[in-house]
Amino acid sequence: MSAVSSSNWDRRSILRAAVGLAVAVPLAACGGNNGRGAGSGSGTQLTQMFHAYGEAGTEQAVKRYAAAYEKANVTTQWITSADYESKLFATLLTKNAPDVFEFHPQIQMVRSGQVADLSDLVDPVREDFNPADITSHTVDGKVYGIRMIDDPQFFFYRPSLFEKARVKVPETLDELIEAAARLTTGKVKGVYLGNDLHAIVNPLIWSAGADTLDAKNEIAYHTPAVVEGLKKMRKLFASGHLLLGAPTDYWDPSSLSQGLCAIQFCGMWAMPQFQKALGDDLGVFPFPKTADSGKPSVYNGGWSMFVNAKGDHVDAAKEYVKWLWIDQKKDQEDWATSYGFHIPPRSSIAARATRLKSGLPAQGVKLFDEFGHFDNIGWTQAMMSATWDVIADCVREDGDPEAALDKCDRAVNRELKKLFG
């Protein structure tokens, strides 16, 4: 789901700063409407923390689910500021820490004992979950976190502009660069990849036939095909056909829907907004293959629910999480499909999600199934930042890709040594 407003954070890339667990920062005010006293339960008082989704009705839905729970009084902190991750990890260090919170799988949270083992909740329904969602939340055979929604990310485009420019849907990065050139007219740029280009780092790697880490938790991204892809991205960046400095970042659909570009990298969550603005003049395609050795890729983002293992009510919090994110299938389907489009991570719910069964949503699901890649729980915030530096050094600037990747390797290997020895 998208961010709270056009001025706010990159909804995917910065909301994983588990490194913040080590930084004690006083918790800023979360706003007056924090949902306290909203639950209908009695006895145990539980607090859950969410970042503010941009889709209308999301806050009301979360509080409606919580109010229906009868075994505890569940209140909601709905964080509307631009630094959800900072507030989350700051408050986890205080007596006001939430019992339940949403985030992304990060191995540091497991190593520090911050998140509870939820294997006993997941095991009875494990076969109903997308196996990749289970893997991305597993450390040493234990599952930490329950996936709530899967968010595939791909390119949205306007077929009418493609037809006018006589452009076909790109299947390679070279074809995307060529299409961007032919689609750029006046104030309309050919393609938009986000203001800092961070969103396309992993797709670029995957589409080169590489990966972030391999099965042994060793570097897998430093390959000749990735170097080739970085050189091509530099060519696109310097071409004048890439939209830069857009009013909103890639997660917001307005760059394409308001005519600033002909192609936009974005997420399936924004599909209803795109359709409302553009009607049937809308299509999707995956990140095209970077080199001959690769194949198209689709990044699967999403959000997961965690239990604070250092809280005062771990068992009660686990019971609530099981009730809402395991037992309440109707609410899970509502959360995935009523406020933007997301893919339910459980096959039994996805099978009955009628909004995703036809038209463009069905195409998005097909791309997800065929080309989807999931987060590696061992790929940390520091490692991500190191790859973002590569983009800064040799795409935004005209540096040597090999030198930039060598620098990245040193940073990533330091982190790998800390985590895995």
Side-chain angles (χ1 to χ4, degrees):
M1 296 182 183
S2 65
V4 62
S5 73
S6 62
S7 63
N8 279 352
W9 26 263
D10 175 324
R11 67 184 302 281
R12 175 180 64 86
S13 58
I14 72 167
L15 289 180
R16 305 192 191 141
V19 67
L21 283 165
V23 182
V25 182
L27 179 63
C30 296
N33 186 14
N34 63 7
R36 294 191 182 279
S40 62
S42 60
T44 304
Q45 301 289 318
L46 297 177
T47 301
Q48 61 181 356
M49 183 177 284
F50 283 76
H51 84 283
Y53 291 84
E55 291 83 349
T58 49
E59 181 179 5
Q60 292 80 4
V62 164
K63 293 180 178 179
R64 184 175 67 251
Y65 306 152
Y69 188 59
E70 297 180 350
K71 293 186 178 181
N73 184 38
V74 183
T75 63
T76 302
Q77 293 181 349
W78 189 257
I79 308 303
T80 59
S81 62
D83 55 350
Y84 172 75
E85 84 291 347
S86 296
K87 284 186 166 35
L88 170 62
F89 290 117
T91 194
L92 283 173
L93 298 172
T94 74
K95 64 180 180 180
N96 296 318
D99 300 286
V100 176
F101 60 90
E102 65 166 3
F103 204 59
H104 310 283
Q106 283 277 325
I107 197 169
Q108 299 100 316
M109 294 195 295
V110 177
R111 295 279 193 251
S112 66
Q114 186 66 68
V115 292
D117 175 10
L118 303 185
S119 300
D120 56 329
L121 309 187
V122 174
D123 282 347
V125 293
R126 177 186 290 261
E127 298 303 316
D128 194 32
F129 275 90
N130 187 315
D133 277 320
I134 297 294
T135 299
S136 66
H137 291 71
T138 298
V139 177
D140 298 329
K142 298 179 180 179
V143 180
Y144 298 86
I146 296 176
R147 193 68 145 185
M148 301 182 294
I149 48 176
D150 286 328
D151 275 340
Q153 298 169 25
F154 29 62
F155 284 104
F156 290 80
Y157 72 99
R158 295 183 60 185
S160 64
L161 298 181
F162 274 46
E163 183 177 356
K164 184 177 180 180
R166 296 182 179 179
V167 171
K168 70 172 186 176
V169 174
E171 296 181 0
T172 67
L173 187 53
D174 288 324
E175 291 179 358
L176 178 64
I177 295 170
E178 181 182 353
R182 295 174 64 178
L183 290 163
T184 298
T185 57
K187 295 182 179 180
V188 179
K189 295 295 185 179
V191 64
Y192 182 48
L193 305 175
N195 286 329
D196 55 21
L197 308 184
H198 293 168
I200 56 87
V201 175
N202 282 12
L204 182 72
I205 292 170
W206 292 321
S207 289
D211 206 341
T212 52
L213 301 174
D214 63 18
K216 297 181 180 179
N217 288 311
E218 296 176 349
I219 288 172
Y221 58 78
H222 194 158
T223 69
V226 170
V227 171
E228 182 181 344
L230 290 167
K231 291 178 179 178
K232 292 176 180 179
M233 285 303 304
R234 172 59 190 176
K235 178 182 177 181
L236 175 60
F237 183 84
S239 69
H241 307 137
L242 181 67
L243 176 63
L244 301 170
T248 61
D249 214 335
Y250 82 100
W251 41 259
D252 186 287
S254 60
S255 289
L256 178 65
S257 61
Q258 294 180 8
L260 300 181
C261 60
I263 308 171
Q264 177 178 342
F265 189 77
C266 195
M268 190 166 165
W269 61 80
M271 194 174 282
Q273 294 169 273
F274 277 123
Q275 291 177 314
K276 183 177 180 180
L278 301 173
D280 293 333
D281 189 19
L282 186 65
V284 292
F285 64 89
F287 197 96
K289 65 179 183 179
T290 302
D292 290 341
S293 60
K295 69 175 186 177
S297 68
V298 168
Y299 177 85
N300 176 50
W303 291 89
S304 306
M305 190 55 60
F306 297 89
V307 169
N308 178 10
K310 298 179 180 180
D312 294 331
H313 308 292
V314 175
D315 289 340
K318 289 179 63 174
E319 190 173 359
Y320 169 66
V321 168
K322 176 183 181 297
W323 174 82
L324 180 53
W325 297 111
I326 298 293
D327 299 338
Q328 303 303 307
K329 287 189 173 184
K330 184 177 180 181
D331 289 339
Q332 293 163 43
E333 181 182 354
D334 178 67
W335 186 240
T337 62
S338 297
Y339 318 96
F341 289 152
H342 318 264
I343 299 176
R346 296 177 64 180
S347 58
S348 62
I349 299 174
R352 70 186 196 187
T354 56
R355 291 184 176 95
L356 307 182
K357 295 299 184 183
S358 61
L360 202 63
Q363 293 180 39
V365 172
K366 183 179 179 180
L367 293 180
F368 167 84
D369 289 339
E370 187 172 358
F371 302 118
H373 289 263
F374 290 66
D375 285 318
N376 185 324
I377 197 170
W379 187 246
T380 70
Q381 179 65 27
M383 297 176 196
M384 294 178 221
S385 296
T387 60
W388 299 344
D389 289 342
V390 171
I391 294 293
D393 291 344
C394 64
V395 176
R396 300 188 71 90
E397 302 294 334
D398 195 16
D400 174 36
E402 283 288 1
L405 287 170
D406 286 340
K407 177 183 174 183
C408 182
D409 291 349
R410 292 191 289 271
V412 171
N413 277 322
R414 284 195 297 270
E415 292 302 306
L416 291 172
K417 187 175 181 179
K418 291 178 188 176
L419 291 170
F420 304 107

